[in-house]
C-alpha cells in the first residue's frame, strides 16, 4: 500500500488494508511517498508532512518497506516520460524484501 505521512491518509490506508483482507489479497507492506524533502544546500531532511507510517504499519502488523522523498528530479524525469532512466536507491531495500516475501 502506498501512503503519505499525513494523519488523514492513515484512515484511508486502514480502509484499503481491510478491503484487501476481505478480498483475500495479500498486503506485502507500506511504502511512504512524500516522506521528506532534502535541502539542496545542506542535505538535511525535513518531514514537512509529519511522520506516521511507522505507527500505521505497527497497528496493522505489516512492514514499512520504504520511504520516498519529494524529489524534483524524479518528478521531472516522470514528466519527460523517462521514469526507467531515473537512478535512485530509495526503494532498494523494499524491492529486496518484496522478492524475499514472494519467494518464501
Amino acid at each position: 500500500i502506498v501512503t503519505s505521512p499525513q494523519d488523514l491518509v492513515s484512515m484511508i490506508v486502514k480502509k484499503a488494508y481491510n478491503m484487501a483482507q476481505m478480498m483475500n489479497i495479500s498486503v506485502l507492506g507500506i511504502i511512504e511517498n512524500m516522506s521528506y524533502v532534502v535541502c539542496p544546500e545542506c542535505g538535511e531532511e525535513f518531514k514537512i508532512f509529519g511522520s506516521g507510517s511507522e505507527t500505521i504499519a505497527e497497528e496493522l502488523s505489516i512492514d514499512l518497506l520504504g520511504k520516498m522523498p519529494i524529489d524534483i528530479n524524479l518528478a521531472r524525469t516522470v514528466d519527460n516520460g523517462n521514469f526507467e532512466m531515473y537512478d535512485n536507491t530509495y526503494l532498494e531495500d523494499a524491492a529486496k524484501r518484496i522478492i524475499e516475501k514472494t519467494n518464501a
Side-chain angles (χ1 to χ4, degrees), residues 48-73:
I48 58 176
F49 295 117
S51 60
S53 294
E54 291 88 355
T55 303
I56 191 70
E58 276 182 31
E59 287 178 19
L60 298 175
S61 298
I62 57 178
D63 294 332
L64 177 58
L65 297 172
K67 296 183 175 193
M68 291 279 301
I70 296 172
D71 183 340
I72 191 67
N73 293 321

Side-chain angles (χ1 to χ4, degrees), residues 6 12 23 25 32-33 36 46 56 59 64 73 94 97:
Q6 296 97 329
I12 297 166
M23 298 176 71
I25 297 171
E32 184 179 81
N33 194 18
Y36 57 92
F46 295 95
I56 191 70
E59 287 178 19
L64 177 58
N73 293 321
R97 290 172 69 187

Side-chain angles (χ1 to χ4, degrees), residues 1 5 11 27 34 41 43 47 54 61 80 90 94 98-99 102:
I1 298 174
M11 180 183 67
V27 175
M34 300 187 301
E41 300 297 320
K47 296 180 179 184
E54 291 88 355
S61 298
N80 290 331
Y90 303 136
I98 290 170
I99 290 168
T102 56

